[in-house]
Amino acid sequence: MTNDPHPSILATPLARLAAAEHNANLAALAGTGPRGRVTQRDVLSSLGLAPGESSTAIQRHAPPPERLPPLTEGSIRDRSSAEQAVARRMAETTATVPDFQVQTETAMDPMLGLRERLKDVANPPPSLNDFIIKAAALALRDFPLVNASYVDGSPELHPRINIGVAVTTEGMPMLPTVTDADTRSLGSIAAETRRSAAAVRDSTIAPRDLDAPTFTISNLGDLGMTAITPMINAPQAASLGVGSLRTMLVQAADEVVERKLLTLTLSGDHRILPVTDAAQFLSRLRELLESPLLLA
């Protein structure tokens, strides 16, 4: 059972989070999103914040952030209101979304070779995650149901491909969004992900940079995790989990060679996304990453 007082209101997850943080009444807001959906920007505007104001401005209007004491042995840390809101959303998603997972391994050696060459000519050079964002965006063009949302019992296809990239700060994940990722160059994606990640960590991220991604990527490779099974960011149809690079011995033709392998896991919503579409999307993503010149 959810603690959301307005479960039937059509609103984005970030709008619900903002409403929970600021005790805003979603039922009283006129949504400006697709099909009248209430967006985070609608909630912030109702609080007297102009669209695009930074998180620093939000902090001036809202109560100061909760300062949590350090943990000592046997103590229990109280969660902030924002963390509680995220936890409620996760619990609701787990209880209501019939999810499934498909997984594949990708040889990243060609992409790593291309990235090494780009270091001399690109500023900033694209990271491994930037290549994955671009490849996922191109694969989403071919499989629009993976880029859909579950709304009012049916899939809603999105005309744009906006990819949310999970960034964790002080224990709470945020999703700065790379808008129109399929039409951006690798250089543009690299510049945007660095700017937004720095803004998240400095608490200067603008609300417009967080609202309404259509697909989510969570990468825990830098923490040494072999694979991650991501939670679906409802109402999105799917989320992608990225593990760490591993050097493995594999059979290639008549010899055993070293390869840099990466595990990719896609979580999908059974209500709108067929498993076959999910598997074909992941196969296309693997193809693009193993032939990185296709991303140019």
Side-chain angles (χ1 to χ4, degrees), residues 59-133:
Q59 292 167 7
R60 290 199 302 267
H61 290 266
E66 300 172 48
R67 300 297 180 185
L68 301 175
L71 286 176
T72 59
E73 187 175 357
S75 66
I76 298 176
R77 178 176 73 80
D78 290 332
R79 286 186 164 189
S80 69
S81 59
E83 287 178 305
Q84 291 175 29
V86 170
R88 286 195 297 270
R89 278 190 52 222
M90 293 174 68
E92 181 179 358
T93 298
T94 301
T96 60
V97 175
D99 63 332
F100 66 89
Q101 285 76 40
V102 290
Q103 189 174 87
T104 191
E105 286 192 334
T106 303
M108 301 296 284
D109 305 83
M111 191 221 72
L112 292 172
L114 175 59
R115 182 174 183 269
E116 196 62 32
R117 294 195 294 274
L118 289 176
K119 285 182 178 179
D120 296 328
V121 296
N123 185 25
S127 68
L128 181 149
N129 214 41
D130 296 327
F131 277 93
I132 294 171
I133 292 168

Side-chain angles (χ1 to χ4, degrees), residues 227-277:
I228 170 179
T229 301
M231 178 170 286
I232 297 171
N233 184 25
Q236 293 173 20
S239 293
L240 181 70
V242 181
S244 60
L245 277 173
R246 305 168 341 271
T247 301
M248 304 289 289
L249 295 176
V250 301
Q251 184 77 33
D254 295 327
E255 58 181 344
V256 175
V257 297
E258 282 191 353
R259 289 285 186 266
K260 296 286 188 182
L261 299 182
L262 188 72
T263 299
L264 303 173
T265 306
L266 188 78
S267 294
D269 186 339
H270 258 305
R271 296 173 297 182
I272 56 171
L273 181 60
V275 175
T276 51
D277 279 44

Side-chain angles (χ1 to χ4, degrees), residues 177-200:
T177 303
V178 180
T179 57
D180 302 312
D182 57 320
T183 63
R184 289 188 180 225
S185 67
L186 275 169
S188 172
I189 291 173
E192 176 63 18
T193 55
R194 282 157 181 74
R195 180 196 68 79
S196 59
V200 166

Side-chain angles (χ1 to χ4, degrees), residues 1-7 20 84 87-89 91-92:
M1 185 173 182
T2 179
N3 290 325
D4 189 344
H6 304 292
Q84 291 175 29
R88 286 195 297 270
R89 278 190 52 222
E92 181 179 358

Side-chain angles (χ1 to χ4, degrees), residues 157-170:
L157 301 181
H158 297 291
R160 301 171 67 187
I161 295 174
N162 300 334
I163 296 183
V165 183
V167 176
T168 300
T169 176
E170 295 182 358

